[in-house]
Amino acid sequence: MPAHETQMSGGVAPGRGLPRDLLFALFCAAILAGEARPAAAFEIFGIKLWGSSKDEDADIVDPLRYSVTLNAPDADKDLVKRLENASALKNDEDHPVSGSLGLMAKARGDREQLVAALYADARYEGVVTITIEGKSIDELPPDAEFKGPQPIPVVISVAPGAKFTLGNIRLKGDAAGLASADFGLIAGGDAGSGAVLKAEALIVRALKDEGRPLAKITDREIVAEHASSTLDVTLTVAAGPVAAYGDTTVEGTEKVDRDFTEYMTGLKRGQQYSPQEIDDARDRLLGLEVFNSVTIKEGDSLDANGNIPIDVQVSERKPRFFGLGGTFSNTEGLGLEGYWGHRNLFGQAEKLRI
């Protein structure tokens, strides 16, 4: 990563204009630097202006090219599209793999992703078969060698099967008093894996909204009834106790003051836990514009005082930045301007831009 970030815009960049001779010299220097590299592609400020990404394939050991055919005659157009999007073999077809072992590994991983795509569409009796050079990957030895002419033919065959709907739904444990329909689990409704996982997340969130940071799904029993094409779902939930915030630990700060970061979370020790406040704290820290990422996690257990510890992990952005902008007018001609700025002058997200 460069030590600063750049910005190119077709509009007027705010700030003080830099001398045109200096800007022109910077542009020429960037071009000369690009020409000095033995690469077919040319980039400036991280933007690829011309060239191909095929040069990246030159670093692959024992490159092996393949071609993919995906057959799903019983799937509708939407499902075929989802299968294609889930297939790494299909998406990476233009890039070689590293030898026969790389192709086998990619094919086995692809089958898992395709089965997951079928589950997401509530297809729980679907079958995915992948062949390489006409042989099923289940029949090939782990050290199989594909020495035929490239590209090596790979065929993915998908029999999606019937689409399932939800059957019997039971919520147990601390969720026994909740109505499954409130979370999207309705008999005869969507049985896709995504719908079930979404319902689980909503149940846990509802309990956490009561101030219970340790709420979780403790057991999940999913039974596909093939005779009726229904999916029976039983979820067991542990709510855990209501708790307040304990100590907040901040990790990852370098130039930004750690105590300031903790203060800006707004999570006060002894105040009742709220998942919305956790979300707000994350947004507030990102809003300081000094962090690339912010992750806030609750502890796995309560402390000795019955409070929930909070762990804040951050990754800082580069403090300095500059930008270039240009305009063109039929009366004033070409205009070039630039600006320089600092996001964290004294450690507490103080900003300067000139």
Side-chain angles (χ1 to χ4, degrees), residues 15 36 61 70 78 129 135 157 182 235 295 319 324:
V61 177
L70 194 156
D78 289 340
T129 303
K135 295 183 179 180
S157 301
D182 293 341
L235 301 177
T295 303
L324 302 175

Side-chain angles (χ1 to χ4, degrees), residues 66-342:
Y66 64 91
S67 61
V68 179
T69 301
L70 194 156
N71 296 322
D74 298 327
D76 56 37
K77 291 182 179 179
D78 289 340
L79 179 55
V80 169
K81 186 64 176 178
R82 286 194 286 270
L83 291 170
E84 290 177 343
N85 290 338
S87 171
L89 283 168
K90 191 67 176 176
N91 293 326
D92 299 339
E93 188 174 7
D94 293 336
H95 302 284
V97 294
S98 181
S100 299
L101 185 61
L103 184 56
M104 280 287 290
K106 201 174 191 73
R108 293 186 185 280
D110 219 44
R111 181 166 58 183
E112 294 180 3
Q113 294 301 316
L114 290 166
V115 169
L118 290 176
Y119 285 1
D121 196 52
R123 312 274 183 167
Y124 293 99
E125 59 183 14
V127 177
V128 177
T129 303
I130 300 179
T131 63
I132 302 176
E133 290 186 329
K135 295 183 179 180
S136 170
I137 59 175
D138 291 327
E139 300 173 357
L140 290 168
D143 58 349
E145 292 285 339
F146 308 114
K147 298 180 178 179
Q150 298 186 31
I152 302 298
V154 179
V155 178
I156 302 172
S157 301
V158 180
K163 192 163 186 173
F164 283 53
T165 58
L166 287 172
N168 296 320
I169 303 163
R170 296 181 62 195
L171 300 182
K172 299 171 63 177
D174 294 330
L178 301 178
S180 63
D182 293 341
F183 307 100
L185 296 178
I186 304 172
D190 183 7
S193 58
V196 176
L197 292 173
K198 180 181 179 180
E200 290 183 5
L202 290 174
I203 291 170
V204 170
R205 177 69 183 224
L207 293 172
K208 286 191 172 187
D209 283 339
E210 297 177 358
R212 304 175 184 275
L214 301 181
K216 61 181 178 180
I217 305 294
T218 57
D219 188 49
R220 178 193 302 115
E221 183 179 349
I222 309 293
V223 178
E225 297 288 352
H226 295 275
S228 59
S229 295
T230 56
L231 192 75
D232 295 338
V233 177
T234 301
L235 301 177
T236 304
V237 181
V242 174
Y245 299 117
D247 292 334
T248 298
T249 303
V250 177
E251 299 178 4
T253 53
E254 297 177 10
K255 303 296 184 181
V256 181
D257 183 79
R258 183 170 299 181
D259 292 338
F260 169 75
T261 303
E262 178 184 345
Y263 169 77
M264 288 303 297
T265 64
L267 304 177
K268 299 179 181 179
R269 182 180 177 85
Q271 180 176 307
Q272 182 171 308
Y273 165 85
S274 165
Q276 185 59 54
E277 289 180 354
I278 298 291
D279 293 341
D280 292 344
R282 182 182 300 107
D283 292 342
R284 192 158 44 246
L285 291 178
L286 287 172
L288 295 175
E289 300 180 356
V290 293
F291 299 121
N292 274 320
S293 64
V294 175
T295 303
I296 303 180
K297 296 181 179 180
E298 302 95 337
D300 295 328
S301 60
L302 303 183
D303 62 21
N305 297 316
N307 298 326
I308 187 72
I310 301 295
D311 180 44
V312 181
Q313 297 180 354
V314 299
S315 172
E316 292 187 10
R317 301 175 69 181
K318 297 294 184 181
R320 298 174 183 83
F321 62 92
F322 71 85
L324 302 175
T327 61
F328 177 77
S329 168
N330 59 357
T331 58
E332 299 181 4
L334 177 66
L336 295 174
E337 295 184 337
Y339 59 86
W340 175 92
H342 200 293

